[in-house]
Amino acid sequence: MTLAVGPHRLHVPVVAVSRGGRSAVQRPCPGEGSDWLCAVPLGTLVASTGSPAAAVRATSVEVLLEGYSLFQDTGRDEWLSIPQLCGRLSQRWARQQCLGPSLFRDSLRRFTLIEADALARTNALGGIAGQKEPVRQVVRRMRLRNGEPGTDCAADGQGLCTAALRLSDRVLVVWIVSQKDLPSIRRQATAIRAFLTSAAGPQEDYDRFSAALTRR
């Protein structure tokens, strides 16, 4: 499917933007004058896969980078692995992520692409233990420069930090890291940029994507 967040377009399998039957794509809630964001119905995302030229306009997208062959059995409260589905994914990077091992170093498992002016209107970013503010408020007060990730760590000393990167004037990337390891965070930022341009961009360039991930 194709998603558009600000000027950025992503071509990703639906499984990368959904989990447990829930959509990880948000846009303004229906109804005139609504200030908050709501999840785009999963059915809308699935239906859009037949029209690659028509992008689903989104305000916030959480991109999952693992677990593509795992599905939740809510009746038994467990996750089922169906590895046969990996071969049905049309993008090479997605098949590799599904089969393993992961292409991404430094434990990068997910990130959120969000329009900067929507930070005040979403609860999707949640919070992290030991941090008194929700992640959206933490990111709002960060002074981010283009190309350089910013971090803010929980005060309890447990190591969890919010990381954010400004992709453009309108769009940010936000993710959670396990500790304030700046070289690791910079590698994650490089991996996210490479993913957006060479893996999930208009045309997949797997070799270029793979080379960017191994570059130090």
Side-chain angles (χ1 to χ4, degrees):
M1 63 171 301
T2 303
L3 293 166
V5 182
H8 305 279
R9 282 180 172 250
L10 293 84
H11 298 268
V12 293
V14 174
V15 72
V17 291
S18 63
R19 181 60 80 242
R22 296 183 180 89
S23 167
V25 181
Q26 289 196 328
R27 60 188 178 192
C29 297
E32 186 176 351
S34 176
D35 291 332
W36 288 90
L37 304 183
C38 291
V40 177
L42 193 56
T44 300
L45 301 184
V46 172
S48 75
T49 60
S51 305
V56 174
R57 176 62 60 180
T59 305
S60 171
V61 178
E62 182 185 33
V63 180
L64 308 173
L65 300 174
E66 62 179 7
Y68 294 166
S69 63
L70 294 175
F71 294 86
Q72 188 175 23
D73 183 337
T74 54
R76 297 183 179 181
D77 192 25
E78 63 183 10
W79 290 86
L80 305 176
S81 177
I82 311 178
Q84 306 93 299
L85 296 180
C86 296
R88 297 177 62 87
L89 296 169
S90 61
Q91 292 164 300
R92 185 177 173 185
W93 71 264
R95 291 194 298 273
Q96 175 60 50
Q97 280 301 101
C98 188
L99 291 168
S102 176
L103 292 163
F104 298 92
R105 297 184 296 165
D106 302 290
S107 300
L108 179 63
R109 296 185 173 92
R110 65 185 65 203
F111 64 86
T112 298
L113 198 64
I114 186 169
E115 293 183 353
D117 62 4
L119 284 170
R121 299 183 285 129
T122 181
N123 287 322
L125 295 174
I128 60 177
Q131 201 169 47
K132 295 180 180 179
E133 303 169 284
V135 169
R136 60 187 174 88
Q137 290 185 13
V138 171
V139 177
R140 287 181 70 192
R141 59 178 171 77
M142 283 184 180
R143 295 183 178 180
L144 298 173
R145 296 178 296 170
N146 284 338
E148 187 67 21
T151 57
D152 188 286
C153 298
D156 66 354
Q158 297 301 312
L160 287 179
C161 305
T162 299
L165 175 71
R166 184 176 293 280
L167 287 179
S168 61
D169 289 342
R170 290 179 54 194
V171 180
L172 307 174
V173 176
V174 181
W175 70 105
I176 303 300
V177 297
S178 59
Q179 57 184 341
K180 191 173 183 178
D181 180 342
L182 292 181
S184 173
I185 292 168
R186 291 191 179 105
R187 287 193 298 268
Q188 290 176 331
T190 296
I192 292 170
R193 286 196 204 92
F195 175 83
L196 293 173
T197 57
S198 301
Q203 295 293 328
E204 182 184 12
D205 188 336
Y206 183 86
D207 291 337
R208 183 177 180 183
F209 172 56
S210 181
L213 296 183
T214 57
R215 194 176 302 132
R216 292 186 179 274

